[in-house]
């Protein structure tokens, strides 16, 4: 297949609008969590929270189940390597976003414990 930049942008321009409100809400949640944490002394490298990592991993794994349902598809329709790559990339993105939100929030709840 020969993909062009204009073809990719055309597909994205039709795929993103139904989920734009959700994307913006999650982005706002991420920014607020990071900002509140940093204002109260949160530093990425100085704080460790295993429960936040476990919840993020579970959220990423659950993406393999709920993302096809959210898009009106089924897991049986994920047939090609490109489909699986997109689904795994989405799962990794959800896991990373979940961790980036929960890590500073756990700092705000638990306090500045150092391990």
């Amino acid at each position: 297949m020969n993909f062009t930049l204009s073809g990719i942008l055309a597909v994205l321009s039709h795929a993103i609008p139904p989920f734009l409100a959700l994307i913006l809400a999650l982005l706002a949640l991420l920014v607020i969590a990071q900002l509140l944490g940093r204002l109260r002394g949160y530093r990425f490298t100085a704080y460790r929270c295993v429960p936040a990592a476990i919840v993020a991993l579970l959220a990423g794994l659950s993406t393999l189940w709920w993302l096809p349902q959210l898009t009106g598809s089924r897991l049986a329709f994920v047939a090609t390597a490109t489909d699986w790559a997109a689904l795994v990339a989405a799962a990794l993105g959800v896991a990373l976003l979940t961790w980036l939100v929960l890590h500073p929030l756990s700092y705000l709840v638990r306090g500045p414990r150092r391990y």
Side-chain angles (χ1 to χ4, degrees):
M1 290 192 166
N2 190 5
F3 294 105
T4 63
L5 181 59
S6 62
I8 293 170
L9 292 176
V11 169
L12 286 176
S13 70
H14 294 295
I16 290 179
F19 303 105
L20 190 57
L22 179 63
I23 292 169
L24 291 176
L26 291 174
L27 182 63
L29 180 65
L30 171 66
V31 169
I32 290 169
Q34 288 287 327
L35 213 119
L36 283 176
R38 292 188 186 274
L39 287 175
R40 302 253 170 102
Y42 164 75
R43 295 293 172 257
F44 172 73
T45 56
Y47 179 69
R48 189 180 102 184
C49 181
V50 176
I54 291 171
V55 170
L57 179 66
L58 291 174
L61 288 175
S62 74
T63 303
L64 299 174
W65 173 75
W66 60 260
L67 186 62
Q69 291 182 352
L70 179 71
T71 58
S73 181
R74 289 191 326 212
L75 197 54
F77 294 156
V78 182
T80 65
T82 306
D83 295 338
W84 277 105
L87 188 59
V88 168
L92 289 174
V94 166
L96 179 64
L97 180 67
T98 304
W99 186 79
L100 286 173
V101 170
L102 290 182
H103 198 253
L105 290 180
S106 70
Y107 174 84
L108 292 173
V109 171
R110 295 173 67 192
R113 298 180 188 171
R114 295 183 187 265
Y115 295 94

